[in-house]
Amino acid sequence: MSSQIQFPKIIGHRGAKGCSPENTLASFKKAHELGAQWVELDVKETQDGVLIIMHDDDLDRTSNYKGKVAQTPWSIIKTLDAGSWYSKQFSEEKIPSLQEAVQLFESLNLGVNLEIKPCPNRETSTSILVADFIKNNWPKKLPPPLVSSFSMESLKIAKKQNPELIIGLLFENELPSNWKQIARELNASSINIDDKMANQKTIEDILKEGYQVLVYTVNSKERAEELFKLGVSSIFTDMP
Ligand code: G3P
Ligand code: MG
């Protein structure tokens, strides 16, 4: 049975992805401005082991640079323009380090779902860095983050490194046959599922086992209401 953490109903997906450049400080500020109490963000590791906020393995889509995160050092990544691809008005936005983002969260009192999104073959190092970062640097005044990942391997490594972590398992198409076993092993608090698999039966199956259900990415108010009625705790939305 999972511990019952109180998650807010609305979590800003990559900040406020629908109206600002995702995973930037501007996006987190926007989500806060719109009233979100929590944001979701994706964390990976630069070539030289700095944790940054970034969704893709490549820098191409969300910056003015072409290259792989795992092959680019922080000294280059920190200089990139992470806003112009979205709109010229965000041309000053940078790719934040986790450290920089957490300073902002502390000042705004924003809660966080930290998704570990390791670059290929970086599952171990990224998970250990994240687990240690939370142990050593998470601000006392913030609620502890929900740590999620599609990589069960990453979650296992992170939990072993820091057994205090609050864990959410991320699934995209269906619940794998061994989901209960993994959830028990990691003492998961939530199961975070794609809206396309969020039917009544799946939601009930998860709730029955004592885990909270979080659903991504929901941008319709009607759909959100429907999910809350089915017992879903929170939705991730681009428009918090
Ligand atoms: O954590 C929910 C959601 O962010 C998972 O999908 O691809 O947006 O990271 P993605
Ligand atoms: Mg994510």
Side-chain angles (χ1 to χ4, degrees):
M1 182 69 85
S2 67
S3 42
Q4 287 295 311
I5 319 282
Q6 176 89 44
F7 298 113
K9 287 176 104 173
I10 305 293
I11 301 177
H13 184 227
R14 307 183 202 172
K17 178 179 181 284
C19 51
S20 56
E22 63 183 64
N23 283 329
T24 61
L25 298 186
S27 197
F28 303 133
K29 284 181 202 155
K30 186 73 190 169
H32 177 257
E33 223 174 274
L34 294 173
Q37 293 166 356
W38 276 48
V39 288
E40 183 264 1
L41 52 90
D42 307 289
V43 175
K44 29 185 13 99
E45 176 196 346
T46 62
Q47 180 196 45
D48 47 345
V50 176
L51 293 173
I52 60 165
I53 316 297
M54 181 76 174
H55 182 273
D56 299 359
D57 291 337
D58 297 300
L59 292 153
D60 309 26
R61 181 178 61 89
T62 57
S63 85
N64 61 336
Y65 191 80
K66 288 197 189 324
K68 298 218 169 287
V69 173
Q71 290 168 7
T72 313
W74 172 237
S75 58
I76 292 181
I77 291 183
K78 71 177 182 192
T79 66
L80 304 180
D81 169 352
S84 290
W85 69 274
Y86 184 85
S87 154
K88 282 276 164 271
Q89 90 187 78
F90 293 106
S91 63
E92 298 296 310
E93 284 310 305
K94 302 290 180 212
I95 296 170
S97 67
L98 178 60
Q99 179 87 54
E100 291 164 343
V102 167
Q103 273 168 22
L104 176 73
F105 302 144
E106 185 175 22
S107 72
L108 298 179
N109 207 21
L110 253 184
V112 178
N113 169 206
L114 188 161
E115 182 188 338
I116 305 177
K117 189 87 108 184
C119 294
N121 304 317
R122 294 289 195 98
E123 285 80 6
T124 303
S125 55
T126 305
S127 307
I128 289 177
L129 284 171
V130 166
D132 286 346
F133 180 93
I134 293 170
K135 196 189 303 179
N136 301 323
N137 301 304
W138 203 261
K140 298 272 173 298
K141 74 174 252 209
L142 287 182
L146 172 65
V147 177
S148 63
S149 188
F150 288 106
S151 164
M152 299 302 124
E153 189 193 338
S154 289
L155 291 176
K156 285 179 191 177
I157 295 164
K159 183 76 174 177
K160 190 163 173 225
Q161 183 75 6
N162 177 358
E164 310 264 285
L165 293 182
I166 295 168
I167 299 288
L169 311 186
L170 262 170
F171 297 116
E172 189 172 9
N173 295 310
E174 56 183 3
L175 294 173
S177 55
N178 61 346
W179 78 269
K180 290 181 199 169
Q181 188 197 324
I182 305 171
R184 255 196 314 273
E185 195 183 315
L186 295 177
N187 190 26
S189 295
S190 69
I191 308 294
N192 304 0
I193 61 175
D194 193 327
D195 190 23
K196 62 180 183 261
M197 61 182 279
N199 54 53
Q200 184 168 3
K201 161 134 187 14
T202 301
I203 292 169
E204 277 171 4
D205 285 350
I206 299 171
L207 292 175
K208 212 165 55 203
E209 297 299 317
Y211 304 104
Q212 299 191 61
V213 183
L214 279 52
V215 179
Y216 68 92
T217 306
V218 179
N219 290 327
S220 132
K221 191 161 180 279
E222 291 68 37
R223 178 60 179 153
E225 294 300 345
E226 211 171 281
L227 289 166
F228 294 139
K229 274 196 198 120
L230 291 174
V232 165
S233 298
S234 317
I235 55 139
F236 298 91
T237 178
D238 297 331
M239 291 299 232

mmCIF file of all heavy atoms in Angstrom, residues 38-84:
data_model
loop_
_atom_site.group_PDB
_atom_site.id
_atom_site.type_symbol
_atom_site.label_atom_id
_atom_site.label_comp_id
_atom_site.label_asym_id
_atom_site.label_seq_id
_atom_site.Cartn_x
_atom_site.Cartn_y
_atom_site.Cartn_z
ATOM 1 N N TRP A 38 1.833 22.946 -8.577
ATOM 2 C CA TRP A 38 2.916 22.025 -8.916
ATOM 3 C C TRP A 38 3.192 22.103 -10.413
ATOM 4 O O TRP A 38 2.285 22.385 -11.201
ATOM 5 C CB TRP A 38 2.517 20.573 -8.609
ATOM 6 C CG TRP A 38 2.716 20.111 -7.198
ATOM 7 C CD1 TRP A 38 2.328 20.759 -6.066
ATOM 8 C CD2 TRP A 38 3.328 18.871 -6.783
ATOM 9 N NE1 TRP A 38 2.661 20.004 -4.965
ATOM 10 C CE2 TRP A 38 3.277 18.831 -5.376
ATOM 11 C CE3 TRP A 38 3.896 17.800 -7.460
ATOM 12 C CZ2 TRP A 38 3.775 17.763 -4.638
ATOM 13 C CZ3 TRP A 38 4.393 16.734 -6.729
ATOM 14 C CH2 TRP A 38 4.338 16.726 -5.331
ATOM 15 N N VAL A 39 4.447 21.805 -10.763
ATOM 16 C CA VAL A 39 4.802 21.629 -12.176
ATOM 17 C C VAL A 39 5.525 20.300 -12.371
ATOM 18 O O VAL A 39 6.152 19.782 -11.443
ATOM 19 C CB VAL A 39 5.718 22.769 -12.697
ATOM 20 C CG1 VAL A 39 4.955 24.063 -12.851
ATOM 21 C CG2 VAL A 39 6.941 22.961 -11.811
ATOM 22 N N GLU A 40 5.409 19.802 -13.586
ATOM 23 C CA GLU A 40 6.168 18.611 -14.002
ATOM 24 C C GLU A 40 7.311 19.086 -14.868
ATOM 25 O O GLU A 40 7.173 20.062 -15.625
ATOM 26 C CB GLU A 40 5.244 17.690 -14.804
ATOM 27 C CG GLU A 40 5.869 16.375 -15.249
ATOM 28 C CD GLU A 40 6.430 16.351 -16.664
ATOM 29 O OE1 GLU A 40 6.375 17.394 -17.370
ATOM 30 O OE2 GLU A 40 6.937 15.307 -17.081
ATOM 31 N N LEU A 41 8.453 18.419 -14.766
ATOM 32 C CA LEU A 41 9.587 18.753 -15.633
ATOM 33 C C LEU A 41 10.399 17.495 -15.898
ATOM 34 O O LEU A 41 10.321 16.519 -15.163
ATOM 35 C CB LEU A 41 10.450 19.829 -14.973
ATOM 36 C CG LEU A 41 10.896 19.560 -13.549
ATOM 37 C CD1 LEU A 41 12.216 18.816 -13.523
ATOM 38 C CD2 LEU A 41 11.006 20.863 -12.795
ATOM 39 N N ASP A 42 11.188 17.560 -16.991
ATOM 40 C CA ASP A 42 11.983 16.404 -17.419
ATOM 41 C C ASP A 42 13.453 16.691 -17.146
ATOM 42 O O ASP A 42 13.948 17.759 -17.493
ATOM 43 C CB ASP A 42 11.782 16.169 -18.922
ATOM 44 C CG ASP A 42 10.311 16.072 -19.282
ATOM 45 O OD1 ASP A 42 9.682 15.070 -18.920
ATOM 46 O OD2 ASP A 42 9.791 17.028 -19.908
ATOM 47 N N VAL A 43 14.124 15.723 -16.544
ATOM 48 C CA VAL A 43 15.530 15.948 -16.164
ATOM 49 C C VAL A 43 16.436 14.971 -16.880
ATOM 50 O O VAL A 43 16.184 13.770 -16.909
ATOM 51 C CB VAL A 43 15.711 15.798 -14.635
ATOM 52 C CG1 VAL A 43 17.174 15.896 -14.253
ATOM 53 C CG2 VAL A 43 14.920 16.867 -13.908
ATOM 54 N N LYS A 44 17.485 15.521 -17.479
ATOM 55 C CA LYS A 44 18.544 14.683 -18.032
ATOM 56 C C LYS A 44 19.895 15.266 -17.680
ATOM 57 O O LYS A 44 19.984 16.278 -16.998
ATOM 58 C CB LYS A 44 18.380 14.418 -19.532
ATOM 59 C CG LYS A 44 17.683 15.499 -20.268
ATOM 60 C CD LYS A 44 17.357 15.297 -21.708
ATOM 61 C CE LYS A 44 17.434 13.974 -22.367
ATOM 62 N NZ LYS A 44 16.138 13.317 -22.484
ATOM 63 N N GLU A 45 20.930 14.628 -18.199
ATOM 64 C CA GLU A 45 22.286 14.944 -17.763
ATOM 65 C C GLU A 45 23.129 15.354 -18.974
ATOM 66 O O GLU A 45 23.090 14.689 -20.007
ATOM 67 C CB GLU A 45 22.810 13.651 -17.130
ATOM 68 C CG GLU A 45 24.187 13.604 -16.676
ATOM 69 C CD GLU A 45 24.610 12.127 -16.462
ATOM 70 O OE1 GLU A 45 23.743 11.218 -16.433
ATOM 71 O OE2 GLU A 45 25.797 11.890 -16.354
ATOM 72 N N THR A 46 23.889 16.432 -18.828
ATOM 73 C CA THR A 46 24.780 16.860 -19.926
ATOM 74 C C THR A 46 25.963 15.892 -20.042
ATOM 75 O O THR A 46 26.151 15.023 -19.187
ATOM 76 C CB THR A 46 25.362 18.255 -19.635
ATOM 77 O OG1 THR A 46 26.152 18.171 -18.434
ATOM 78 C CG2 THR A 46 24.272 19.300 -19.454
ATOM 79 N N GLN A 47 26.751 16.096 -21.052
ATOM 80 C CA GLN A 47 27.939 15.257 -21.267
ATOM 81 C C GLN A 47 28.788 15.192 -19.990
ATOM 82 O O GLN A 47 29.312 14.141 -19.633
ATOM 83 C CB GLN A 47 28.778 15.850 -22.403
ATOM 84 C CG GLN A 47 30.030 15.061 -22.715
ATOM 85 C CD GLN A 47 30.998 15.873 -23.559
ATOM 86 O OE1 GLN A 47 31.250 17.048 -23.296
ATOM 87 N NE2 GLN A 47 31.505 15.243 -24.599
ATOM 88 N N ASP A 48 28.897 16.354 -19.325
ATOM 89 C CA ASP A 48 29.783 16.426 -18.157
ATOM 90 C C ASP A 48 29.029 16.328 -16.827
ATOM 91 O O ASP A 48 29.500 16.809 -15.796
ATOM 92 C CB ASP A 48 30.653 17.688 -18.217
ATOM 93 C CG ASP A 48 29.862 18.947 -18.563
ATOM 94 O OD1 ASP A 48 28.704 18.838 -19.030
ATOM 95 O OD2 ASP A 48 30.390 20.044 -18.358
ATOM 96 N N GLY A 49 27.854 15.694 -16.858
ATOM 97 C CA GLY A 49 27.205 15.325 -15.599
ATOM 98 C C GLY A 49 26.450 16.426 -14.866
ATOM 99 O O GLY A 49 26.256 16.349 -13.658
ATOM 100 N N VAL A 50 25.987 17.445 -15.600
ATOM 101 C CA VAL A 50 25.147 18.476 -14.971
ATOM 102 C C VAL A 50 23.685 18.127 -15.259
ATOM 103 O O VAL A 50 23.327 17.831 -16.409
ATOM 104 C CB VAL A 50 25.489 19.882 -15.516
ATOM 105 C CG1 VAL A 50 24.557 20.937 -14.940
ATOM 106 C CG2 VAL A 50 26.946 20.224 -15.217
ATOM 107 N N LEU A 51 22.857 18.164 -14.233
ATOM 108 C CA LEU A 51 21.428 17.867 -14.426
ATOM 109 C C LEU A 51 20.747 19.097 -15.008
ATOM 110 O O LEU A 51 20.850 20.197 -14.465
ATOM 111 C CB LEU A 51 20.781 17.484 -13.091
ATOM 112 C CG LEU A 51 21.261 16.158 -12.500
ATOM 113 C CD1 LEU A 51 20.694 15.968 -11.095
ATOM 114 C CD2 LEU A 51 20.887 14.974 -13.398
ATOM 115 N N ILE A 52 20.047 18.888 -16.112
ATOM 116 C CA ILE A 52 19.346 20.000 -16.768
ATOM 117 C C ILE A 52 17.889 19.621 -17.017
ATOM 118 O O ILE A 52 17.519 18.452 -16.967
ATOM 119 C CB ILE A 52 20.003 20.387 -18.119
ATOM 120 C CG1 ILE A 52 19.990 19.197 -19.099
ATOM 121 C CG2 ILE A 52 21.421 20.901 -17.901
ATOM 122 C CD1 ILE A 52 20.271 19.591 -20.536
ATOM 123 N N ILE A 53 17.103 20.667 -17.318
ATOM 124 C CA ILE A 53 15.675 20.461 -17.574
ATOM 125 C C ILE A 53 15.481 20.448 -19.083
ATOM 126 O O ILE A 53 15.652 21.476 -19.752
ATOM 127 C CB ILE A 53 14.829 21.606 -16.967
ATOM 128 C CG1 ILE A 53 15.290 21.968 -15.562
ATOM 129 C CG2 ILE A 53 13.357 21.259 -16.984
ATOM 130 C CD1 ILE A 53 15.167 20.893 -14.562
ATOM 131 N N MET A 54 15.109 19.280 -19.594
ATOM 132 C CA MET A 54 15.055 19.115 -21.050
ATOM 133 C C MET A 54 14.261 17.862 -21.360
ATOM 134 O O MET A 54 14.458 16.840 -20.699
ATOM 135 C CB MET A 54 16.505 18.965 -21.525
ATOM 136 C CG MET A 54 16.675 18.816 -22.981
ATOM 137 S SD MET A 54 16.432 20.451 -23.710
ATOM 138 C CE MET A 54 16.814 20.163 -25.332
ATOM 139 N N HIS A 55 13.422 17.924 -22.365
ATOM 140 C CA HIS A 55 12.606 16.755 -22.712
ATOM 141 C C HIS A 55 13.300 15.810 -23.695
ATOM 142 O O HIS A 55 13.366 14.609 -23.482
ATOM 143 C CB HIS A 55 11.264 17.195 -23.298
ATOM 144 C CG HIS A 55 10.365 16.043 -23.629
ATOM 145 N ND1 HIS A 55 10.403 15.383 -24.839
ATOM 146 C CD2 HIS A 55 9.414 15.403 -22.905
ATOM 147 C CE1 HIS A 55 9.517 14.407 -24.848
ATOM 148 N NE2 HIS A 55 8.896 14.390 -23.678
ATOM 149 N N ASP A 56 13.827 16.374 -24.789
ATOM 150 C CA ASP A 56 14.353 15.519 -25.872
ATOM 151 C C ASP A 56 15.815 15.136 -25.624
ATOM 152 O O ASP A 56 16.554 15.873 -24.971
ATOM 153 C CB ASP A 56 14.292 16.266 -27.209
ATOM 154 C CG ASP A 56 12.869 16.652 -27.608
ATOM 155 O OD1 ASP A 56 11.918 16.327 -26.865
ATOM 156 O OD2 ASP A 56 12.712 17.300 -28.664
ATOM 157 N N ASP A 57 16.224 14.035 -26.256
ATOM 158 C CA ASP A 57 17.641 13.652 -26.213
ATOM 159 C C ASP A 57 18.488 14.612 -27.054
ATOM 160 O O ASP A 57 19.679 14.766 -26.826
ATOM 161 C CB ASP A 57 17.827 12.227 -26.762
ATOM 162 C CG ASP A 57 17.211 11.182 -25.828
ATOM 163 O OD1 ASP A 57 17.052 11.476 -24.628
ATOM 164 O OD2 ASP A 57 16.878 10.085 -26.313
ATOM 165 N N ASP A 58 17.842 15.225 -28.045
ATOM 166 C CA ASP A 58 18.542 16.177 -28.920
ATOM 167 C C ASP A 58 18.165 17.600 -28.536
ATOM 168 O O ASP A 58 17.031 17.852 -28.118
ATOM 169 C CB ASP A 58 18.128 15.946 -30.383
ATOM 170 C CG ASP A 58 18.548 14.563 -30.854
ATOM 171 O OD1 ASP A 58 19.756 14.287 -30.825
ATOM 172 O OD2 ASP A 58 17.666 13.757 -31.224
ATOM 173 N N LEU A 59 19.103 18.508 -28.764
ATOM 174 C CA LEU A 59 18.838 19.908 -28.432
ATOM 175 C C LEU A 59 18.054 20.621 -29.539
ATOM 176 O O LEU A 59 17.531 21.725 -29.332
ATOM 177 C CB LEU A 59 20.177 20.624 -28.211
ATOM 178 C CG LEU A 59 20.928 20.141 -26.954
ATOM 179 C CD1 LEU A 59 22.427 20.321 -27.094
ATOM 180 C CD2 LEU A 59 20.398 20.863 -25.722
ATOM 181 N N ASP A 60 17.946 19.984 -30.687
ATOM 182 C CA ASP A 60 17.461 20.641 -31.909
ATOM 183 C C ASP A 60 16.082 21.300 -31.807
ATOM 184 O O ASP A 60 15.900 22.430 -32.240
ATOM 185 C CB ASP A 60 17.402 19.629 -33.073
ATOM 186 C CG ASP A 60 18.716 18.873 -33.245
ATOM 187 O OD1 ASP A 60 19.469 18.731 -32.261
ATOM 188 O OD2 ASP A 60 18.978 18.410 -34.359
ATOM 189 N N ARG A 61 15.106 20.585 -31.252
ATOM 190 C CA ARG A 61 13.722 21.085 -31.306
ATOM 191 C C ARG A 61 13.514 22.304 -30.420
ATOM 192 O O ARG A 61 12.805 23.233 -30.799
ATOM 193 C CB ARG A 61 12.730 19.970 -30.899
ATOM 194 C CG ARG A 61 11.259 20.404 -30.954
ATOM 195 C CD ARG A 61 10.315 19.256 -30.590
ATOM 196 N NE ARG A 61 10.512 18.762 -29.251
ATOM 197 C CZ ARG A 61 9.911 19.228 -28.157
ATOM 198 N NH1 ARG A 61 9.033 20.219 -28.261
ATOM 199 N NH2 ARG A 61 10.162 18.719 -26.965
ATOM 200 N N THR A 62 14.136 22.324 -29.256
ATOM 201 C CA THR A 62 13.800 23.381 -28.280
ATOM 202 C C THR A 62 14.974 24.321 -27.982
ATOM 203 O O THR A 62 14.993 24.969 -26.930
ATOM 204 C CB THR A 62 13.278 22.768 -26.967
ATOM 205 O OG1 THR A 62 14.267 21.858 -26.453
ATOM 206 C CG2 THR A 62 11.973 22.036 -27.161
ATOM 207 N N SER A 63 15.946 24.370 -28.920
ATOM 208 C CA SER A 63 17.001 25.385 -28.764
ATOM 209 C C SER A 63 17.527 25.780 -30.138
ATOM 210 O O SER A 63 17.111 25.232 -31.160
ATOM 211 C CB SER A 63 18.144 24.865 -27.894
ATOM 212 O OG SER A 63 19.078 24.132 -28.671
ATOM 213 N N ASN A 64 18.475 26.694 -30.144
ATOM 214 C CA ASN A 64 19.052 27.153 -31.418
ATOM 215 C C ASN A 64 20.339 26.395 -31.749
ATOM 216 O O ASN A 64 21.246 26.942 -32.356
ATOM 217 C CB ASN A 64 19.356 28.655 -31.331
ATOM 218 C CG ASN A 64 20.357 28.974 -30.227
ATOM 219 O OD1 ASN A 64 20.495 28.205 -29.274
ATOM 220 N ND2 ASN A 64 21.055 30.082 -30.332
ATOM 221 N N TYR A 65 20.438 25.137 -31.297
ATOM 222 C CA TYR A 65 21.663 24.352 -31.469
ATOM 223 C C TYR A 65 21.285 22.968 -31.972
ATOM 224 O O TYR A 65 20.196 22.481 -31.677
ATOM 225 C CB TYR A 65 22.331 24.248 -30.096
ATOM 226 C CG TYR A 65 23.740 23.689 -30.078
ATOM 227 C CD1 TYR A 65 24.833 24.482 -30.406
ATOM 228 C CD2 TYR A 65 23.965 22.368 -29.683
ATOM 229 C CE1 TYR A 65 26.125 23.970 -30.339
ATOM 230 C CE2 TYR A 65 25.261 21.850 -29.616
ATOM 231 C CZ TYR A 65 26.335 22.664 -29.950
ATOM 232 O OH TYR A 65 27.601 22.158 -29.880
ATOM 233 N N LYS A 66 22.187 22.349 -32.699
ATOM 234 C CA LYS A 66 21.942 20.969 -33.142
ATOM 235 C C LYS A 66 22.954 20.066 -32.464
ATOM 236 O O LYS A 66 24.153 20.291 -32.564
ATOM 237 C CB LYS A 66 22.091 20.859 -34.656
ATOM 238 C CG LYS A 66 20.955 21.520 -35.415
ATOM 239 C CD LYS A 66 20.907 21.060 -36.860
ATOM 240 C CE LYS A 66 19.933 21.854 -37.703
ATOM 241 N NZ LYS A 66 18.691 22.279 -37.047
ATOM 242 N N GLY A 67 22.448 19.072 -31.766
ATOM 243 C CA GLY A 67 23.377 18.160 -31.104
ATOM 244 C C GLY A 67 22.676 17.365 -30.037
ATOM 245 O O GLY A 67 21.509 17.618 -29.716
ATOM 246 N N LYS A 68 23.393 16.392 -29.511
ATOM 247 C CA LYS A 68 22.821 15.532 -28.476
ATOM 248 C C LYS A 68 23.185 16.080 -27.094
ATOM 249 O O LYS A 68 24.321 16.462 -26.855
ATOM 250 C CB LYS A 68 23.382 14.115 -28.610
ATOM 251 C CG LYS A 68 23.025 13.467 -29.934
ATOM 252 C CD LYS A 68 22.714 11.991 -29.783
ATOM 253 C CE LYS A 68 22.116 11.407 -31.032
ATOM 254 N NZ LYS A 68 20.735 11.789 -31.311
ATOM 255 N N VAL A 69 22.200 16.058 -26.197
ATOM 256 C CA VAL A 69 22.452 16.500 -24.822
ATOM 257 C C VAL A 69 23.630 15.717 -24.237
ATOM 258 O O VAL A 69 24.538 16.289 -23.623
ATOM 259 C CB VAL A 69 21.191 16.292 -23.945
ATOM 260 C CG1 VAL A 69 21.483 16.575 -22.482
ATOM 261 C CG2 VAL A 69 20.040 17.156 -24.441
ATOM 262 N N ALA A 70 23.629 14.399 -24.473
ATOM 263 C CA ALA A 70 24.640 13.541 -23.843
ATOM 264 C C ALA A 70 26.040 13.779 -24.396
ATOM 265 O O ALA A 70 27.021 13.294 -23.829
ATOM 266 C CB ALA A 70 24.253 12.076 -24.017
ATOM 267 N N GLN A 71 26.125 14.534 -25.503
ATOM 268 C CA GLN A 71 27.459 14.791 -26.075
ATOM 269 C C GLN A 71 27.836 16.263 -25.988
ATOM 270 O O GLN A 71 28.814 16.687 -26.600
ATOM 271 C CB GLN A 71 27.479 14.341 -27.540
ATOM 272 C CG GLN A 71 27.428 12.828 -27.678
ATOM 273 C CD GLN A 71 27.154 12.365 -29.093
ATOM 274 O OE1 GLN A 71 27.120 13.157 -30.028
ATOM 275 N NE2 GLN A 71 26.922 11.066 -29.246
ATOM 276 N N THR A 72 27.046 17.040 -25.267
ATOM 277 C CA THR A 72 27.295 18.486 -25.207
ATOM 278 C C THR A 72 27.527 18.906 -23.754
ATOM 279 O O THR A 72 26.736 18.550 -22.879
ATOM 280 C CB THR A 72 26.076 19.252 -25.791
ATOM 281 O OG1 THR A 72 25.707 18.651 -27.032
ATOM 282 C CG2 THR A 72 26.389 20.713 -26.008
ATOM 283 N N PRO A 73 28.612 19.637 -23.500
ATOM 284 C CA PRO A 73 28.888 20.041 -22.115
ATOM 285 C C PRO A 73 27.999 21.200 -21.663
ATOM 286 O O PRO A 73 27.475 21.953 -22.483
ATOM 287 C CB PRO A 73 30.353 20.465 -22.153
ATOM 288 C CG PRO A 73 30.607 20.871 -23.556
ATOM 289 C CD PRO A 73 29.679 20.061 -24.423
ATOM 290 N N TRP A 74 27.885 21.329 -20.365
ATOM 291 C CA TRP A 74 27.077 22.394 -19.761
ATOM 292 C C TRP A 74 27.568 23.765 -20.204
ATOM 293 O O TRP A 74 26.780 24.679 -20.415
ATOM 294 C CB TRP A 74 27.110 22.234 -18.240
ATOM 295 C CG TRP A 74 26.484 23.345 -17.460
ATOM 296 C CD1 TRP A 74 27.081 24.106 -16.491
ATOM 297 C CD2 TRP A 74 25.129 23.827 -17.546
ATOM 298 N NE1 TRP A 74 26.198 25.030 -15.983
ATOM 299 C CE2 TRP A 74 24.986 24.872 -16.608
ATOM 300 C CE3 TRP A 74 24.032 23.473 -18.326
ATOM 301 C CZ2 TRP A 74 23.801 25.578 -16.433
ATOM 302 C CZ3 TRP A 74 22.825 24.178 -18.157
ATOM 303 C CH2 TRP A 74 22.723 25.212 -17.222
ATOM 304 N N SER A 75 28.871 23.933 -20.394
ATOM 305 C CA SER A 75 29.407 25.246 -20.796
ATOM 306 C C SER A 75 28.773 25.717 -22.108
ATOM 307 O O SER A 75 28.597 26.922 -22.308
ATOM 308 C CB SER A 75 30.930 25.195 -20.921
ATOM 309 O OG SER A 75 31.297 24.210 -21.865
ATOM 310 N N ILE A 76 28.403 24.811 -22.979
ATOM 311 C CA ILE A 76 27.706 25.200 -24.223
ATOM 312 C C ILE A 76 26.198 25.279 -23.980
ATOM 313 O O ILE A 76 25.545 26.258 -24.330
ATOM 314 C CB ILE A 76 27.995 24.185 -25.363
ATOM 315 C CG1 ILE A 76 29.470 24.281 -25.761
ATOM 316 C CG2 ILE A 76 27.066 24.426 -26.562
ATOM 317 C CD1 ILE A 76 29.883 23.354 -26.888
ATOM 318 N N ILE A 77 25.659 24.253 -23.344
ATOM 319 C CA ILE A 77 24.190 24.200 -23.176
ATOM 320 C C ILE A 77 23.659 25.431 -22.453
ATOM 321 O O ILE A 77 22.615 25.984 -22.817
ATOM 322 C CB ILE A 77 23.786 22.888 -22.457
ATOM 323 C CG1 ILE A 77 24.054 21.705 -23.403
ATOM 324 C CG2 ILE A 77 22.318 22.919 -22.014
ATOM 325 C CD1 ILE A 77 23.646 20.345 -22.901
ATOM 326 N N LYS A 78 24.419 25.909 -21.463
ATOM 327 C CA LYS A 78 23.895 27.040 -20.668
ATOM 328 C C LYS A 78 23.828 28.342 -21.465
ATOM 329 O O LYS A 78 23.173 29.288 -21.051
ATOM 330 C CB LYS A 78 24.716 27.226 -19.391
ATOM 331 C CG LYS A 78 26.098 27.766 -19.590
ATOM 332 C CD LYS A 78 26.764 27.957 -18.226
ATOM 333 C CE LYS A 78 28.148 28.547 -18.394
ATOM 334 N NZ LYS A 78 28.918 28.487 -17.162
ATOM 335 N N THR A 79 24.496 28.395 -22.614
ATOM 336 C CA THR A 79 24.476 29.629 -23.412
ATOM 337 C C THR A 79 23.361 29.632 -24.457
ATOM 338 O O THR A 79 23.106 30.648 -25.085
ATOM 339 C CB THR A 79 25.808 29.801 -24.189
ATOM 340 O OG1 THR A 79 25.895 28.732 -25.156
ATOM 341 C CG2 THR A 79 27.012 29.764 -23.273
ATOM 342 N N LEU A 80 22.701 28.486 -24.668
ATOM 343 C CA LEU A 80 21.772 28.379 -25.797
ATOM 344 C C LEU A 80 20.484 29.173 -25.579
ATOM 345 O O LEU A 80 20.067 29.409 -24.443
ATOM 346 C CB LEU A 80 21.438 26.899 -26.057
ATOM 347 C CG LEU A 80 22.654 25.994 -26.310
ATOM 348 C CD1 LEU A 80 22.208 24.557 -26.555
ATOM 349 C CD2 LEU A 80 23.503 26.504 -27.462
ATOM 350 N N ASP A 81 19.880 29.529 -26.680
ATOM 351 C CA ASP A 81 18.591 30.215 -26.680
ATOM 352 C C ASP A 81 17.498 29.138 -26.693
ATOM 353 O O ASP A 81 17.370 28.390 -27.666
ATOM 354 C CB ASP A 81 18.541 31.103 -27.938
ATOM 355 C CG ASP A 81 17.152 31.677 -28.227
ATOM 356 O OD1 ASP A 81 16.181 31.286 -27.560
ATOM 357 O OD2 ASP A 81 17.059 32.501 -29.158
ATOM 358 N N ALA A 82 16.749 29.052 -25.610
ATOM 359 C CA ALA A 82 15.742 27.988 -25.489
ATOM 360 C C ALA A 82 14.328 28.534 -25.628
ATOM 361 O O ALA A 82 13.356 27.861 -25.274
ATOM 362 C CB ALA A 82 15.898 27.286 -24.139
ATOM 363 N N GLY A 83 14.232 29.777 -26.150
ATOM 364 C CA GLY A 83 12.904 30.389 -26.231
ATOM 365 C C GLY A 83 12.476 30.828 -27.616
ATOM 366 O O GLY A 83 11.288 30.798 -27.939
ATOM 367 N N SER A 84 13.447 31.200 -28.462
ATOM 368 C CA SER A 84 13.080 31.764 -29.778
ATOM 369 C C SER A 84 12.336 30.780 -30.661
ATOM 370 O O SER A 84 11.507 31.181 -31.478
ATOM 371 C CB SER A 84 14.323 32.240 -30.528
ATOM 372 O OG SER A 84 14.838 33.377 -29.898
#
